[in-house]
Amino acid sequence: MIEPVEQITDKSLRRHFGYSLKRAYARVHTAITEELNQLGLKVISYSALSMIVENPGLKQSQLAEALMIERSNLVVIIDDLENKNLIYRAQLPSDRRAYALIPTDEGKALAVRAGDAVADAEAAVFGHFDPALIEQLRPAFDRIWSR
Amino acid sequence: MIEPVEQITDKSLRRHFGYSLKRAYARVHTAITEELNQLGLKVISYSALSMIVENPGLKQSQLAEALMIERSNLVVIIDDLENKNLIYRAQLPSDRRAYALIPTDEGKALAVRAGDAVADAEAAVFGHFDPALIEQLRPAFDRIWSR
DNA sequence: GATAATAGTTATACCGCATAACTATTTAAG
DNA sequence: CTTAAATAGTTATGCGGTATAACTATTATC
Protein backbone atom coordinates (compact mmCIF):
# COMPACT_ATOMS: atom_id res chain seq x y z
CA MET A 1 0.00 0.00 0.00
CA ILE A 2 1.43 3.34 -1.07
CA GLU A 3 0.97 6.23 1.31
CA PRO A 4 1.56 9.95 0.70
CA VAL A 5 4.76 11.38 2.16
CA GLU A 6 4.20 14.31 4.49
CA GLN A 7 7.62 15.52 5.53
CA ILE A 8 10.38 15.72 2.93
CA THR A 9 13.99 15.58 4.11
CA ASP A 10 17.22 16.24 2.22
CA LYS A 11 19.80 14.78 4.54
CA SER A 12 21.59 12.95 1.72
CA LEU A 13 22.12 16.20 -0.19
CA ARG A 14 23.03 18.33 2.81
CA ARG A 15 25.93 15.98 3.24
CA HIS A 16 27.58 17.72 0.30
CA PHE A 17 29.26 21.02 1.02
CA GLY A 18 28.90 21.92 -2.66
CA TYR A 19 25.18 22.36 -2.17
CA SER A 20 25.71 24.90 0.56
CA LEU A 21 28.18 26.65 -1.69
CA LYS A 22 25.82 26.59 -4.64
CA ARG A 23 22.93 28.06 -2.73
CA ALA A 24 25.03 30.74 -1.05
CA TYR A 25 26.45 31.72 -4.41
CA ALA A 26 22.96 31.84 -5.89
CA ARG A 27 21.98 34.40 -3.25
CA VAL A 28 25.03 36.56 -3.90
CA HIS A 29 24.53 36.30 -7.62
CA THR A 30 20.90 37.40 -7.37
CA ALA A 31 21.75 40.33 -5.12
CA ILE A 32 24.54 41.52 -7.41
CA THR A 33 22.44 41.04 -10.54
CA GLU A 34 19.65 43.17 -9.13
CA GLU A 35 22.02 45.96 -8.14
CA LEU A 36 23.76 46.00 -11.51
CA ASN A 37 20.45 45.82 -13.33
CA GLN A 38 19.55 49.20 -11.89
CA LEU A 39 22.69 50.56 -13.53
CA GLY A 40 21.85 48.94 -16.86
CA LEU A 41 24.60 46.34 -16.51
CA LYS A 42 24.77 42.57 -16.36
CA VAL A 43 27.35 40.78 -14.27
CA ILE A 44 29.39 39.93 -17.34
CA SER A 45 29.20 43.43 -18.81
CA TYR A 46 30.19 44.92 -15.46
CA SER A 47 33.16 42.56 -15.40
CA ALA A 48 34.13 43.59 -18.91
CA LEU A 49 33.76 47.29 -18.13
CA SER A 50 35.83 46.99 -14.96
CA MET A 51 38.59 45.21 -16.80
CA ILE A 52 38.63 47.80 -19.57
CA VAL A 53 38.80 50.64 -17.05
CA GLU A 54 41.63 48.89 -15.24
CA ASN A 55 43.44 47.88 -18.43
CA PRO A 56 42.66 50.56 -21.03
CA GLY A 57 43.72 49.58 -24.52
CA LEU A 58 43.51 45.82 -24.09
CA LYS A 59 42.27 43.76 -27.02
CA GLN A 60 39.03 41.80 -27.15
CA SER A 61 40.89 38.52 -27.26
CA GLN A 62 42.85 39.49 -24.15
CA LEU A 63 39.67 40.46 -22.38
CA ALA A 64 37.92 37.26 -23.41
CA GLU A 65 40.80 35.23 -22.02
CA ALA A 66 40.85 37.20 -18.77
CA LEU A 67 37.11 36.77 -18.30
CA MET A 68 37.27 33.17 -19.44
CA ILE A 69 34.56 33.56 -22.02
CA GLU A 70 34.61 32.87 -25.74
CA ARG A 71 35.70 35.68 -28.05
CA SER A 72 32.50 35.23 -30.02
CA ASN A 73 30.35 35.81 -26.95
CA LEU A 74 32.31 38.89 -25.99
CA VAL A 75 31.36 40.68 -29.21
CA VAL A 76 27.78 41.45 -28.20
CA ILE A 77 28.93 42.51 -24.73
CA ILE A 78 31.38 45.01 -26.22
CA ASP A 79 28.73 46.13 -28.70
CA ASP A 80 26.41 46.85 -25.81
CA LEU A 81 29.00 48.79 -23.80
CA GLU A 82 29.92 50.75 -26.87
CA ASN A 83 26.28 51.56 -27.70
CA LYS A 84 25.92 52.91 -24.17
CA ASN A 85 28.95 55.11 -24.70
CA LEU A 86 30.82 53.47 -21.82
CA ILE A 87 33.74 52.31 -23.98
CA TYR A 88 34.83 52.52 -27.58
CA ARG A 89 36.82 50.43 -30.01
CA ALA A 90 39.98 52.25 -31.06
CA GLN A 91 42.20 51.20 -33.93
CA LEU A 92 45.49 49.67 -32.89
CA PRO A 93 48.15 51.00 -35.29
CA SER A 94 50.38 48.05 -34.48
CA ASP A 95 47.75 45.46 -35.47
CA ARG A 96 44.90 46.34 -37.77
CA ARG A 97 43.08 43.12 -36.95
CA ALA A 98 42.59 44.06 -33.33
CA TYR A 99 40.71 46.72 -31.42
CA ALA A 100 42.02 48.57 -28.39
CA LEU A 101 39.19 48.87 -25.89
CA ILE A 102 39.12 52.29 -24.24
CA PRO A 103 36.73 53.47 -21.52
CA THR A 104 34.95 56.78 -21.85
CA ASP A 105 34.72 59.16 -18.91
CA GLU A 106 31.16 57.96 -18.52
CA GLY A 107 32.36 54.37 -18.47
CA LYS A 108 34.98 55.12 -15.84
CA ALA A 109 32.40 56.82 -13.63
CA LEU A 110 29.91 53.98 -14.00
CA ALA A 111 32.56 51.37 -13.21
CA VAL A 112 33.19 53.09 -9.89
CA ARG A 113 29.52 53.33 -9.05
CA ALA A 114 28.86 49.73 -10.10
CA GLY A 115 31.82 48.46 -8.12
CA ASP A 116 30.47 50.08 -5.01
CA ALA A 117 26.99 48.74 -5.72
CA VAL A 118 28.38 45.22 -6.02
CA ALA A 119 30.35 45.66 -2.81
CA ASP A 120 27.20 46.86 -1.05
CA ALA A 121 25.21 43.91 -2.32
CA GLU A 122 27.86 41.52 -1.09
CA ALA A 123 28.01 43.23 2.27
CA ALA A 124 24.26 42.79 2.62
CA VAL A 125 24.57 39.06 1.95
CA PHE A 126 27.70 38.42 4.00
CA GLY A 127 26.94 41.01 6.62
CA HIS A 128 26.81 38.49 9.43
CA PHE A 129 30.20 37.03 8.50
CA ASP A 130 33.26 37.93 10.50
CA PRO A 131 35.40 40.09 8.18
CA ALA A 132 38.43 38.12 9.30
CA LEU A 133 36.72 34.95 8.10
CA ILE A 134 36.10 36.48 4.69
CA GLU A 135 39.76 37.38 4.37
CA GLN A 136 40.69 33.88 5.42
CA LEU A 137 38.32 32.38 2.86
CA ARG A 138 39.29 34.54 -0.07
CA PRO A 139 42.77 33.09 -0.67
CA ALA A 140 41.51 29.61 0.12
CA PHE A 141 38.81 29.86 -2.54
CA ASP A 142 41.15 31.54 -4.99
CA ARG A 143 43.54 28.65 -4.59
CA ILE A 144 40.77 26.27 -5.64
CA TRP A 145 40.37 28.28 -8.79
CA SER A 146 43.97 28.76 -9.77
CA ARG A 147 45.13 25.20 -9.48
CA MET B 1 49.19 57.08 -29.35
CA ILE B 2 47.60 53.76 -28.47
CA GLU B 3 49.92 51.03 -27.29
CA PRO B 4 49.20 47.32 -26.82
CA VAL B 5 48.68 46.20 -23.23
CA GLU B 6 51.02 43.43 -22.14
CA GLN B 7 50.01 42.52 -18.63
CA ILE B 8 46.31 42.30 -17.74
CA THR B 9 45.29 42.74 -14.10
CA ASP B 10 41.94 42.16 -12.40
CA LYS B 11 42.39 43.96 -9.12
CA SER B 12 39.01 45.69 -9.35
CA LEU B 13 37.22 42.35 -9.66
CA ARG B 14 39.25 40.54 -7.04
CA ARG B 15 37.95 43.09 -4.61
CA HIS B 16 34.62 41.23 -4.70
CA PHE B 17 34.39 38.08 -2.60
CA GLY B 18 31.57 36.90 -4.86
CA TYR B 19 34.08 36.33 -7.64
CA SER B 20 36.15 34.04 -5.46
CA LEU B 21 32.97 32.24 -4.54
CA LYS B 22 31.84 31.95 -8.14
CA ARG B 23 35.11 30.55 -9.36
CA ALA B 24 35.41 28.09 -6.49
CA TYR B 25 31.89 26.92 -7.13
CA ALA B 26 32.65 26.55 -10.83
CA ARG B 27 35.51 24.20 -9.95
CA VAL B 28 33.49 22.02 -7.63
CA HIS B 29 30.59 21.98 -10.06
CA THR B 30 32.85 20.80 -12.87
CA ALA B 31 34.40 18.12 -10.69
CA ILE B 32 31.01 16.83 -9.56
CA THR B 33 29.57 16.95 -13.07
CA GLU B 34 32.42 14.87 -14.43
CA GLU B 35 32.08 12.27 -11.71
CA LEU B 36 28.31 11.98 -12.13
CA ASN B 37 28.61 11.89 -15.91
CA GLN B 38 30.53 8.63 -15.60
CA LEU B 39 27.51 7.22 -13.79
CA GLY B 40 25.11 8.50 -16.44
CA LEU B 41 23.72 11.23 -14.17
CA LYS B 42 23.53 14.98 -14.23
CA VAL B 43 23.71 17.02 -11.05
CA ILE B 44 19.98 17.67 -11.11
CA SER B 45 19.08 14.03 -11.81
CA TYR B 46 21.40 12.89 -9.04
CA SER B 47 19.66 15.31 -6.70
CA ALA B 48 16.27 13.99 -7.75
CA LEU B 49 17.36 10.37 -7.36
CA SER B 50 18.81 11.00 -3.92
CA MET B 51 15.64 12.70 -2.76
CA ILE B 52 13.49 9.86 -4.07
CA VAL B 53 15.64 7.27 -2.33
CA GLU B 54 15.48 9.25 0.90
CA ASN B 55 11.76 10.01 0.57
CA PRO B 56 10.20 7.09 -1.31
CA GLY B 57 6.66 7.76 -2.44
CA LEU B 58 6.89 11.53 -2.64
CA LYS B 59 5.04 13.29 -5.43
CA GLN B 60 6.63 15.13 -8.33
CA SER B 61 5.29 18.44 -7.08
CA GLN B 62 6.84 17.83 -3.68
CA LEU B 63 10.13 16.93 -5.29
CA ALA B 64 10.05 19.98 -7.53
CA GLU B 65 9.48 22.21 -4.54
CA ALA B 66 12.27 20.55 -2.55
CA LEU B 67 14.71 20.91 -5.43
CA MET B 68 13.45 24.42 -6.17
CA ILE B 69 12.87 23.70 -9.83
CA GLU B 70 9.70 24.05 -11.90
CA ARG B 71 7.34 21.07 -12.06
CA SER B 72 7.48 21.24 -15.84
CA ASN B 73 11.24 20.88 -15.89
CA LEU B 74 11.13 17.95 -13.52
CA VAL B 75 9.10 15.87 -15.95
CA VAL B 76 11.96 15.09 -18.30
CA ILE B 77 14.27 14.38 -15.36
CA ILE B 78 11.83 11.83 -13.97
CA ASP B 79 11.32 10.42 -17.46
CA ASP B 80 15.04 9.88 -17.73
CA LEU B 81 15.40 8.23 -14.33
CA GLU B 82 12.45 5.99 -15.13
CA ASN B 83 13.84 5.03 -18.54
CA LYS B 84 17.05 4.01 -16.79
CA ASN B 85 15.06 1.84 -14.39
CA LEU B 86 16.30 3.79 -11.39
CA ILE B 87 12.83 4.83 -10.23
CA TYR B 88 9.23 4.31 -11.30
CA ARG B 89 5.99 6.23 -11.12
CA ALA B 90 3.47 4.40 -8.93
CA GLN B 91 -0.20 5.26 -8.74
CA LEU B 92 -1.27 6.96 -5.52
CA PRO B 93 -4.66 5.50 -4.56
CA SER B 94 -5.39 8.58 -2.48
CA ASP B 95 -4.91 10.98 -5.40
CA ARG B 96 -5.19 9.82 -8.96
CA ARG B 97 -3.70 13.06 -10.26
CA ALA B 98 -0.35 12.43 -8.62
CA TYR B 99 2.43 9.89 -8.94
CA ALA B 100 4.33 8.37 -6.06
CA LEU B 101 7.99 8.22 -7.00
CA ILE B 102 9.62 4.97 -5.89
CA PRO B 103 13.27 3.98 -6.29
CA THR B 104 14.20 0.61 -7.72
CA ASP B 105 16.92 -1.50 -6.11
CA GLU B 106 19.13 -0.36 -8.94
CA GLY B 107 18.27 3.25 -8.17
CA LYS B 108 19.05 2.82 -4.49
CA ALA B 109 22.41 1.27 -5.29
CA LEU B 110 23.31 3.99 -7.78
CA ALA B 111 22.33 6.73 -5.33
CA VAL B 112 24.84 5.36 -2.84
CA ARG B 113 27.60 5.10 -5.42
CA ALA B 114 26.86 8.55 -6.82
CA GLY B 115 26.76 10.09 -3.36
CA ASP B 116 30.20 8.72 -2.62
CA ALA B 117 31.47 9.88 -6.00
CA VAL B 118 30.24 13.41 -5.29
CA ALA B 119 31.81 13.33 -1.84
CA ASP B 120 35.10 12.20 -3.37
CA ALA B 121 34.98 14.96 -5.97
CA GLU B 122 34.36 17.54 -3.28
CA ALA B 123 37.15 16.16 -1.15
CA ALA B 124 39.52 16.50 -4.09
CA VAL B 125 38.57 20.16 -4.52
CA PHE B 126 38.44 21.12 -0.85
CA GLY B 127 41.22 18.80 0.20
CA HIS B 128 43.43 21.61 1.43
CA PHE B 129 40.66 23.06 3.61
CA ASP B 130 40.67 22.48 7.32
CA PRO B 131 37.70 20.16 7.99
CA ALA B 132 36.78 22.36 10.93
CA LEU B 133 36.56 25.32 8.57
CA ILE B 134 34.19 23.42 6.32
CA GLU B 135 31.93 22.63 9.24
CA GLN B 136 32.06 26.26 10.29
CA LEU B 137 31.18 27.43 6.78
CA ARG B 138 28.35 25.01 6.15
CA PRO B 139 25.84 26.53 8.60
CA ALA B 140 27.01 30.03 7.72
CA PHE B 141 26.33 29.45 4.02
CA ASP B 142 23.07 27.69 4.76
CA ARG B 143 21.95 30.71 6.74
CA ILE B 144 22.59 32.90 3.70
CA TRP B 145 20.33 30.64 1.74
CA SER B 146 17.46 30.24 4.15
CA ARG B 147 16.94 33.88 4.98
C1' DG C 1 55.62 34.21 -51.70
C1' DA C 2 52.92 30.43 -49.83
C1' DT C 3 51.20 28.78 -45.48
C1' DA C 4 49.82 29.03 -40.92
C1' DA C 5 48.19 31.61 -37.08
C1' DT C 6 45.52 35.37 -34.97
C1' DA C 7 41.51 38.94 -34.27
C1' DG C 8 37.03 39.83 -34.75
C1' DT C 9 32.54 38.48 -36.33
C1' DT C 10 28.30 35.76 -37.51
C1' DA C 11 25.43 31.88 -37.24
C1' DT C 12 24.02 28.10 -34.79
C1' DA C 13 23.05 24.76 -31.21
C1' DC C 14 22.63 23.11 -26.62
C1' DC C 15 21.43 23.59 -21.77
C1' DG C 16 19.25 25.47 -17.62
C1' DC C 17 15.47 27.78 -16.39
C1' DA C 18 10.87 30.21 -16.53
C1' DT C 19 6.05 30.91 -18.20
C1' DA C 20 1.73 29.79 -20.33
C1' DA C 21 -1.65 26.71 -21.64
C1' DC C 22 -3.77 22.37 -21.46
C1' DT C 23 -6.10 17.76 -19.37
C1' DA C 24 -7.44 15.17 -15.50
C1' DT C 25 -8.64 15.08 -10.93
C1' DT C 26 -9.64 16.78 -6.36
C1' DT C 27 -11.27 20.32 -3.14
C1' DA C 28 -14.12 24.12 -1.72
C1' DA C 29 -18.35 27.07 -2.03
C1' DG C 30 -22.87 28.11 -2.76
C1' DC D 1 -25.40 18.31 -5.43
C1' DT D 2 -23.50 21.16 -8.57
C1' DT D 3 -20.37 24.50 -9.88
C1' DA D 4 -16.08 26.98 -9.35
C1' DA D 5 -11.47 26.99 -7.85
C1' DA D 6 -7.29 24.68 -6.90
C1' DT D 7 -3.85 21.03 -7.72
C1' DA D 8 -0.84 17.41 -10.41
C1' DG D 9 1.31 16.38 -14.35
C1' DT D 10 2.43 17.44 -19.05
C1' DT D 11 3.66 19.93 -23.42
C1' DA D 12 5.22 23.73 -25.93
C1' DT D 13 7.81 27.69 -26.07
C1' DG D 14 11.09 31.40 -25.15
C1' DC D 15 15.07 33.52 -23.07
C1' DG D 16 19.87 33.83 -21.42
C1' DG D 17 24.44 31.81 -20.92
C1' DT D 18 27.68 29.20 -23.23
C1' DA D 19 30.24 26.42 -26.80
C1' DT D 20 31.56 25.36 -31.67
C1' DA D 21 32.21 26.05 -36.57
C1' DA D 22 32.92 28.82 -40.37
C1' DC D 23 34.11 33.05 -42.38
C1' DT D 24 37.02 37.63 -43.59
C1' DA D 25 40.86 40.44 -42.77
C1' DT D 26 45.33 40.83 -41.23
C1' DT D 27 49.78 39.38 -39.40
C1' DA D 28 53.50 36.06 -38.57
C1' DT D 29 56.22 32.13 -40.13
C1' DC D 30 58.86 29.22 -43.13
Side-chain angles (χ1 to χ4, degrees):
Chain A
M1 184 58 191
I2 297 174
E3 297 269 340
V5 180
E6 307 84 21
Q7 197 55 38
I8 311 293
T9 62
D10 63 347
K11 187 163 144 275
S12 58
L13 293 185
R14 286 194 182 278
R15 158 190 187 200
H16 303 301
F17 181 61
Y19 275 86
S20 300
L21 194 62
K22 175 178 190 161
R23 292 174 171 181
Y25 171 66
R27 281 282 191 265
V28 179
H29 183 259
T30 299
I32 291 174
T33 299
E34 287 172 354
E35 281 298 314
L36 289 177
N37 185 48
Q38 295 180 0
L39 299 175
L41 293 174
K42 295 194 259 190
V43 174
I44 189 64
S45 57
Y46 161 69
S47 305
L49 176 61
S50 292
M51 291 296 289
I52 295 169
V53 170
E54 184 174 338
N55 304 277
L58 88 170
K59 299 186 292 181
Q60 287 183 208
S61 52
Q62 290 175 311
L63 180 54
E65 188 188 359
L67 295 178
M68 287 163 300
I69 65 177
E70 294 299 317
R71 294 196 317 278
S72 56
N73 294 325
L74 181 59
V75 174
V76 290
I77 297 164
I78 298 301
D79 285 348
D80 180 56
L81 293 176
E82 195 170 35
N83 288 334
K84 286 172 175 155
N85 196 36
L86 300 170
I87 67 160
Y88 61 95
R89 291 168 162 103
Q91 277 296 340
L92 256 184
S94 56
D95 188 343
R96 287 185 300 168
R97 295 170 300 183
Y99 290 123
L101 301 174
I102 313 283
T104 64
D105 289 343
E106 195 178 338
K108 291 180 203 169
L110 184 60
V112 172
R113 282 208 297 154
D116 290 344
V118 170
D120 290 348
E122 292 185 336
V125 172
F126 292 108
H128 63 293
F129 273 62
D130 181 356
L133 178 60
I134 296 281
E135 291 319 310
Q136 178 187 0
L137 255 38
R138 195 192 298 269
F141 281 159
D142 287 347
R143 211 172 325 135
I144 289 178
W145 171 254
S146 49
R147 66 167 53 176
Chain B
M1 185 55 191
I2 296 176
E3 297 269 340
V5 181
E6 306 85 20
Q7 196 54 38
I8 312 294
T9 62
D10 63 347
K11 185 163 145 275
S12 57
L13 294 186
R14 286 193 183 278
R15 158 191 186 199
H16 304 300
F17 181 59
Y19 275 86
S20 301
L21 203 59
K22 175 177 191 161
R23 291 175 171 181
Y25 171 65
R27 279 282 191 265
V28 71
H29 182 260
T30 299
I32 290 174
T33 298
E34 286 172 355
E35 281 297 315
L36 289 177
N37 185 47
Q38 295 180 357
L39 298 174
L41 293 173
K42 296 194 259 192
V43 173
I44 189 62
S45 56
Y46 161 70
S47 304
L49 177 60
S50 292
M51 292 295 289
I52 294 168
V53 169
E54 184 174 338
N55 305 276
L58 89 170
K59 298 185 293 181
Q60 286 183 209
S61 52
Q62 291 176 311
L63 180 55
E65 189 189 359
L67 295 178
M68 286 163 301
I69 64 175
E70 294 300 314
R71 293 196 317 278
S72 57
N73 294 323
L74 182 59
V75 174
V76 291
I77 298 165
I78 298 300
D79 285 348
D80 180 56
L81 293 176
E82 195 171 35
N83 287 334
K84 285 172 176 153
N85 196 36
L86 300 170
I87 66 159
Y88 61 95
R89 291 169 162 104
Q91 277 296 338
L92 256 185
S94 57
D95 188 344
R96 287 185 301 169
R97 294 171 301 185
Y99 290 122
L101 302 175
I102 313 283
T104 64
D105 289 345
E106 196 178 337
K108 291 180 202 169
L110 184 60
V112 172
R113 281 208 296 157
D116 290 344
V118 170
D120 289 349
E122 291 186 337
V125 172
F126 293 108
H128 63 293
F129 273 62
D130 180 356
L133 179 60
I134 296 282
E135 291 319 310
Q136 177 187 2
L137 254 39
R138 195 193 299 268
F141 282 171
D142 288 346
R143 210 173 325 136
I144 290 179
W145 171 253
S146 49
R147 67 167 49 178

